Amino acid sequence: MTAFSLAKEGQKADCLILPLFEDEGDKDIQRFGTVVSHVRGLKDFEGKKLQTSLLYTGEKETPRVLLIGLGKKKDLNVRTWKHAVGASVISLQGKKYTSLAMVIPDDVTKLFGTKKAGRQTVLAVGLASYAFDEHKSEKDARVEPLKHLAFLNISGNEKRAWQSGMEEGVILESAINETRHLANTPPTIMTPVFLAKAAQNVAKTFPSIKVSVLGKAEVKNLGMGCFLGVAQGSALPPQFIIMEYMAGKKTEKPTVLVGKGITFDSGGLSLKPSAYMTDMKFDMLGAATVLGTVRATAALALKKNIVALMPACENMPGGESYRPDDILVNMEGKTVEIGNTDAEGRLILCDALSYAKKYRPKEVIDFATLTGACMVALGNERSGLFSQEESMIEKMMKSSVETGEQLWRLPLGEEYTEAIKSEVADVANVGDVGGRGYAGASTAAAFLEFFTKNFETGESAYPWAHIDLSCSYYGGKGKPWIRHGANGFGIETMIEYLS
Ligand code: BES
Ligand code: MN
Ligand code: ZN
């Protein structure tokens, strides 16, 4: 863990991190001494986004300065700032500097507000400091977190706000990095039971959270035939993990979060080609995201009622696997024709969406690495958002702009609902619109939507939104501001949404 502080007058630092804009005024640059001015004059460092330059000042107090570019002032937003902070931290790791200082530009505190700037800065440092390296045997090859980081240029009367933002940032950072860690953990270790234990451990740290875990027998008793169908090809028992954090008013209905917890997705009998099977340890990121959200909610002591439902199992081929052509029965008795066993996420989620009804929720939001199609549509810097509830869309989009995590609305609609109709069952687990695999993200969402209905009235049982996590991990390669693997997308936005 990095220790954060506000810098004192004349404090020494092994290296000063100096973020600069492309259109920084000459006067402002002169404040930082002749070396910085000189480098700017030579045009070696122009301040373009994420450009870095390490300078040696020849001074005792601050022997090194790392310049980091922020781009043009008018383009500054939370995302650019977080990326610049993260990139500066990553570029200084491994250099064995023990004390660092960072200048916080006035434009940053002005645009975001001091408290939010403190939170975002510390969060970006924390996310950049994490590396999934516990399986490396050479200690030298592991990443050492920065020891001490002091912030400069926070005025006296703003110090309190900055401090309280920093505290929130530290809480968010540990929740998000735990989620990343769970998802990065290899699938032979990260089993459904392991994930359930992780949820129980969170409840040990935060006793305001209650965890219950339903095993195979209980899931069977509840009649979750779709969830069990997916799980039956695996040697590992399924777990239905429930986290409840009820710190809100007794009369207030809970927000229910649902997360896809496939600990490994081989595709099942509709086996994935090998090139598509790597990274499928990340298929429990929906569950890890809601786990991290509940953890952060409790750590921040938000006065909210939140329930997280995490169906967790593996999708494996074998003599006992469910098959294409099977018909599975959901816990509310609805039948599902299986066209492809690789469309398993929606099957485990449909039982969770049915189960959610018993809470009479205020709203339900599910998170799932549900379709490759969503990645094809959006790439992995943005996740798909689906809902018919305009107020949820609006609030969710607003929250994502606040955090710099990017969401993009994708459609639900009649043609997608039509596409998943079945000749032999109530609904089919695959369908397309106009061509093979067309509209895969929307037909998957329409399948989930089917189970958000009250089957007696045909009305929605609760307001519902679905997030297809197309940007929850960076495969083998990272970004300048964050390392490869899971990136924890969604937790911060959910906290913003719930706050
Ligand atoms: N877990 C995958 C979706 C996925 C693929 C997430 C790649 C992240 C990266 C999901 O279970 C799946 O296999 N979906 C299929 C659905 C198809 C069979 C209708 C897909 O997207 O190809
Ligand atoms: Mn699949
Ligand atoms: Zn999957």
Side-chain angles (χ1 to χ4, degrees), residues 222-227 240 256-258 309 311 329-336 346-361 364 366 427 447-455 461-462 464:
L222 285 166
M224 295 184 168
C226 289
F227 177 35
F240 193 90
V256 176
L257 308 176
V258 175
L309 305 177
V329 188
N330 150 275
M331 77 173 269
E332 291 185 271
K334 294 292 154 195
T335 56
V336 183
R346 59 198 81 180
L347 295 170
I348 71 168
L349 292 173
C350 84
D351 277 325
L353 291 170
S354 288
Y355 188 85
K357 290 171 192 169
K358 90 174 187 128
Y359 290 96
R360 302 194 178 286
V364 175
D366 78 75
V427 65
F447 180 90
L448 298 181
E449 186 187 29
F450 180 89
F451 292 91
T452 64
K453 297 268 146 63
N454 174 331
F455 293 117
Y462 42 66
W464 163 76

Side-chain angles (χ1 to χ4, degrees), residues 182 186-200 211-216 219 227 230-232 234-242 261-264 281 284 287 291 310-316 348:
L182 293 173
T188 301
I189 300 172
M190 178 45 66
T191 60
V193 168
F194 192 94
L195 186 60
K197 291 224 172 89
Q200 278 154 344
V211 172
S212 31
V213 180
L214 313 181
K216 193 172 168 185
V219 168
F227 177 35
V230 174
Q232 78 192 32
S234 167
L236 305 171
Q239 306 270 280
F240 193 90
I241 307 160
I242 303 167
I262 294 289
T263 58
F264 188 71
K281 67 172 180 181
M284 37 61 77
L291 180 150
M310 292 161 269
C313 70
E314 258 189 332
N315 186 23
M316 296 293 267
I348 71 168

Side-chain angles (χ1 to χ4, degrees), residues 18 27-39 59:
L18 179 55
K27 275 240 173 64
D28 290 324
I29 289 177
Q30 279 158 17
R31 272 171 59 205
F32 298 109
T34 46
V35 180
V36 176
S37 299
H38 187 57
V39 170
E59 286 167 22

Side-chain angles (χ1 to χ4, degrees), residues 260 265 283 344:
K260 171 178 173 181
D265 182 11
D283 216 18
E344 85 297 338

Side-chain angles (χ1 to χ4, degrees), residues 276-443:
Y276 291 88
M277 214 186 285
T278 43
D279 284 350
M280 282 303 122
K281 67 172 180 181
F282 294 121
D283 216 18
M284 37 61 77
L285 256 164
T289 303
V290 305
L291 180 150
T293 302
V294 175
R295 177 188 160 142
T297 314
L300 292 166
L302 298 187
K303 294 198 167 24
K304 297 283 160 181
N305 296 329
I306 318 269
V307 174
L309 305 177
M310 292 161 269
C313 70
E314 258 189 332
N315 186 23
M316 296 293 267
E320 293 186 80
S321 294
Y322 79 128
R323 302 152 180 84
D325 287 349
D326 266 338
I327 294 177
L328 301 182
V329 188
N330 150 275
M331 77 173 269
E332 291 185 271
K334 294 292 154 195
T335 56
V336 183
E337 178 191 3
I338 305 306
N340 189 319
T341 64
D342 198 12
E344 85 297 338
R346 59 198 81 180
L347 295 170
I348 71 168
L349 292 173
C350 84
D351 277 325
L353 291 170
S354 288
Y355 188 85
K357 290 171 192 169
K358 90 174 187 128
Y359 290 96
R360 302 194 178 286
K362 176 175 138 199
E363 59 191 347
V364 175
I365 304 163
D366 78 75
F367 291 80
T369 45
L370 200 64
T371 68
C374 193
M375 274 183 161
V376 172
L378 300 178
N380 70 357
E381 291 284 326
R382 214 177 270 270
S383 283
L385 171 64
F386 301 78
S387 181
Q388 306 270 28
E389 211 68 44
E390 295 302 324
S391 62
M392 284 179 91
I393 293 275
E394 204 179 297
K395 200 170 160 198
M396 200 71 88
M397 292 302 288
K398 210 173 148 246
S399 307
S400 81
V401 171
E402 283 290 313
T403 63
E405 294 188 314
Q406 307 190 106
L407 284 173
W408 197 259
R409 187 180 191 175
L410 291 171
L412 291 159
E414 212 184 331
E415 67 270 42
Y416 313 114
T417 307
E418 276 302 312
I420 51 163
K421 286 204 166 142
S422 163
E423 294 288 337
V424 297
D426 298 330
V427 65
N429 84 327
V430 284
D432 42 46
V433 180
R436 231 193 120 124
Y438 286 13
S442 286
T443 52

Side-chain angles (χ1 to χ4, degrees), residues 25-300:
D26 285 339
K27 275 240 173 64
D28 290 324
I29 289 177
Q30 279 158 17
R31 272 171 59 205
F32 298 109
T34 46
V35 180
V36 176
S37 299
H38 187 57
V39 170
R40 269 292 275 243
L42 288 173
K43 299 223 175 338
D44 284 16
F45 177 86
E46 297 160 290
K48 293 208 188 311
K49 268 188 205 173
L50 298 188
Q51 192 182 17
T52 55
S53 195
L54 183 61
L55 318 179
Y56 296 89
T57 62
E59 286 167 22
K60 247 196 173 149
E61 299 282 284
T62 324
R64 307 172 193 87
V65 172
L66 177 77
L67 302 180
I68 171 89
L70 292 173
K72 296 231 164 65
K73 284 193 178 185
K74 68 169 176 43
D75 297 332
L76 176 68
N77 60 36
V78 177
R79 208 170 154 76
T80 2
W81 174 245
K82 284 206 274 194
H83 289 180
V85 170
S88 63
V89 167
I90 287 185
S91 71
L92 290 180
Q93 275 168 346
K95 292 202 197 292
K96 318 273 180 219
Y97 303 159
T98 50
S99 64
L100 295 171
M102 181 187 287
V103 175
I104 306 299
D106 290 337
D107 298 79
V108 168
T109 37
K110 267 198 206 117
L111 187 66
F112 310 154
T114 306
K115 181 170 171 186
K116 187 176 162 188
R119 164 173 160 171
Q120 296 295 357
T121 307
V122 162
L123 178 56
V125 173
L127 297 187
S129 302
Y130 170 83
F132 181 59
D133 56 7
E134 66 177 18
H135 298 274
K136 281 182 182 270
S137 2
E138 300 282 328
K139 198 162 182 297
D140 284 353
R142 293 188 215 147
V143 172
E144 286 260 359
L146 304 177
K147 288 214 172 57
H148 190 256
L149 177 59
F151 297 107
L152 293 160
N153 197 35
I154 306 295
S155 69
N157 50 359
E158 294 294 298
K159 289 201 155 103
R160 230 159 214 251
W162 178 270
Q163 195 77 35
S164 99
M166 284 206 306
E167 283 159 21
E168 285 180 10
V170 169
I171 287 175
L172 279 169
E173 181 248 290
S174 30
I176 297 174
N177 280 340
E178 181 186 21
T179 291
R180 295 171 71 193
H181 200 68
L182 293 173
N184 288 337
T185 299
T188 301
I189 300 172
M190 178 45 66
T191 60
V193 168
F194 192 94
L195 186 60
K197 291 224 172 89
Q200 278 154 344
N201 285 338
V202 173
K204 266 185 211 142
T205 319
F206 301 99
S208 52
I209 301 171
K210 204 182 121 231
V211 172
S212 31
V213 180
L214 313 181
K216 193 172 168 185
E218 287 152 294
V219 168
K220 213 176 209 160
N221 279 339
L222 285 166
M224 295 184 168
C226 289
F227 177 35
L228 278 176
V230 174
Q232 78 192 32
S234 167
L236 305 171
Q239 306 270 280
F240 193 90
I241 307 160
I242 303 167
M243 295 175 92
E244 293 174 340
Y245 171 74
M246 300 291 194
K249 290 199 195 82
K250 281 237 158 60
T251 50
E252 199 180 283
K253 294 172 183 165
T255 294
V256 176
L257 308 176
V258 175
K260 171 178 173 181
I262 294 289
T263 58
F264 188 71
D265 182 11
S266 68
L269 288 177
S270 314
L271 196 66
K272 285 182 185 293
S274 25
Y276 291 88
M277 214 186 285
T278 43
D279 284 350
M280 282 303 122
K281 67 172 180 181
F282 294 121
D283 216 18
M284 37 61 77
L285 256 164
T289 303
V290 305
L291 180 150
T293 302
V294 175
R295 177 188 160 142
T297 314
L300 292 166

